Amino acid sequence: MSWTADEKVVLVTGGAAGIGAGLVREFLAKNARHVAFLDVSEKEGATLERELRNKFGALRAKFIKCDVTDEIQLGDAFRQVLDKHRKLDVVVNSAAVVGDNSLCKTMIDVNFCGTVTSTLKALSIMRADAGGCGGAIINVSSLQAFKSSTCLSVYSATKGAVLQFSNFLADEESYSTTKVRIITVCLGPTDTALLHKRNLNNSAKDGHGVSSRASEPQRVESAVNGIIEVIQQAESGSTWIIANNNIARDVTMNVRESFRILSDITDV
Ligand SMILES: NC(=O)c1ccc[n+]([C@@H]2O[C@H](COP(=O)([O-])OP(=O)(O)OC[C@H]3O[C@@H](n4cnc5c(N)ncnc54)[C@H](O)[C@@H]3O)[C@@H](O)[C@H]2O)c1
Ligand SMILES: CCCCC[C@H](O)/C=C/C=C\C=C\C=C\[C@@H](O)[C@@H](O)CCCC(=O)O
């Protein structure tokens, strides 16, 4: 039987806004039992929680103020969800910040370290060989993982690191033992606050943007639907591109081939 959100307990980091918030809404619309969303933005989190509780009832959604760079806060947030709901089925790591290299430490801490800490916590809770029920961890990367734009070398490197970490961990921790799928989605430009930190068209016009072929950023809805499609069908260790309002494209073979070529060089 194919995967459905029905009765699932879900945790989304960076879930108060943008693509994370879109996912929170969609999981609930698709009948998830409970969606916990973690974010540093208290105002947006509380507003979204009110909206969701009015629409879906008081028990189905919970905002937890949490900075993913703080291991204690993150541990507490996972514990709250587990204590209350006794299981965790899906974790989406969507929290991220973008900026120029003056923000390097924050980007590394949030985009990479936060994703790593959350993934390892999720895996330890969900893994079937340690009493969990299995599940899926989706790490949100970017087309910038493959080709950076001007001023975004650190951001792009964090997204490359998320991709590599997720694939290496999926290799290390066999799905047949853990029953936890670890999946990477690389999004193209998507119409959220993060994108509008700098005008996309200027970025594209400068000839360095990976998005230069796209005239418009994709809709949040396309990114969200793409991620849900990926959860429905992706194997552990797979990599997917969701861009230009197209359906999710499996690029696992391309990524593996590029690493096969690189690892051949190390056989000296
Ligand atoms: N929008 C795009 O064009 C685009 C393209 C490719 C990839 N992505 C990726 O998609 C994901 C979602 O981005 P978005 O576009 O929805 O951005 P967004 O800025 O709308 O949402 C990101 C959320 O993360 C939260 N956040 C930031 N720091 C945090 C922290 N320390 N702890 C907890 N939460 C924190 C923010 O408050 C915000 O609510 C990110 O991983 C981003 O890198 C976005
Ligand atoms: C010599 C020029 C100096 C200009 C400084 C410049 O304006 C600094 C910008 C700093 C950060 C801007 C980031 C904004 C990026 C977004 O528009 C977008 O391109 C992010 C892409 C997200 C993604 O695709 O993953």
Side-chain angles (χ1 to χ4, degrees):
M1 200 176 76
S2 69
W3 186 93
T4 70
D6 213 31
E7 282 302 308
K8 300 291 190 297
V9 176
V10 180
L11 183 153
V12 180
T13 75
I19 296 152
L23 281 166
V24 170
R25 291 188 177 96
E26 194 58 22
F27 282 123
L28 287 168
K30 290 200 175 314
N31 214 24
R33 183 192 299 176
H34 183 82
V35 182
F37 55 106
L38 282 44
D39 208 293
V40 281
S41 175
E42 206 160 8
K43 190 162 165 245
E44 284 180 296
T47 304
L48 180 59
E49 188 181 62
R50 257 194 313 279
E51 172 201 312
L52 298 172
R53 288 183 167 198
N54 284 337
K55 189 161 175 195
F56 297 103
L59 301 177
R60 303 265 316 276
K62 182 166 177 59
F63 166 59
I64 303 175
K65 183 169 189 279
C66 172
D67 180 342
V68 296
T69 68
D70 183 325
E71 287 197 36
I72 293 174
Q73 289 184 28
L74 202 51
D76 282 349
F78 273 89
R79 210 164 303 114
Q80 274 189 54
V81 177
L82 201 58
D83 285 352
K84 182 106 185 150
H85 302 282
R86 314 309 310 169
K87 67 164 189 168
L88 186 57
D89 298 294
V90 178
V91 170
V92 182
N93 290 307
S94 186
V97 289
V98 67
D100 64 16
N101 294 352
S102 66
L103 261 185
C104 62
K105 193 166 179 321
T106 309
M107 286 188 282
I108 294 166
D109 283 350
V110 178
N111 304 3
F112 183 57
C113 300
T115 298
V116 169
T117 313
S118 173
T119 300
L120 295 176
K121 271 191 201 309
L123 180 61
S124 71
I125 290 168
M126 291 155 83
R127 55 187 310 151
D129 54 344
C133 306
I137 300 169
I138 293 81
N139 287 338
V140 181
S141 179
S142 164
L143 290 186
Q144 300 281 333
F146 304 119
K147 187 179 174 201
S148 179
S149 316
T150 308
C151 300
L152 292 182
S153 52
V154 175
Y155 173 79
S156 302
T158 65
K159 291 299 176 181
V162 165
L163 169 68
Q164 288 204 35
F165 161 69
S166 309
N167 289 343
F168 290 158
L169 185 65
D171 272 357
E172 206 171 280
E173 298 285 359
S174 163
Y175 172 76
S176 60
T177 312
T178 64
K179 304 291 180 212
V180 178
R181 294 178 291 152
I182 301 165
I183 301 158
T184 311
V185 292
C186 298
L187 304 181
T190 308
D191 193 10
T192 69
L194 178 138
L195 185 71
H196 297 298
K197 289 235 165 113
R198 192 174 63 174
N199 183 284
L200 173 70
N201 293 328
N202 290 342
S203 156
K205 274 183 212 147
D206 73 16
H208 298 282
V210 288
S211 51
S212 51
R213 277 171 295 163
S215 49
E216 292 288 329
Q218 68 182 346
R219 297 181 301 277
V220 170
E221 188 192 1
S222 301
V224 168
N225 291 339
I227 292 171
I228 302 279
E229 273 170 39
V230 166
I231 301 175
Q232 281 163 349
Q233 57 180 308
E235 288 183 1
S236 190
S238 60
T239 306
W240 298 74
I241 285 179
I242 305 168
N244 296 335
N245 294 312
N246 291 326
I247 60 166
R249 175 174 158 212
D250 186 352
V251 295
T252 310
M253 289 308 166
N254 307 62
V255 172
R256 288 195 184 145
E257 178 61 6
S258 65
F259 279 96
R260 192 193 60 72
I261 293 166
L262 290 170
S263 63
D264 281 354
I265 300 170
T266 64
D267 291 340
V268 283

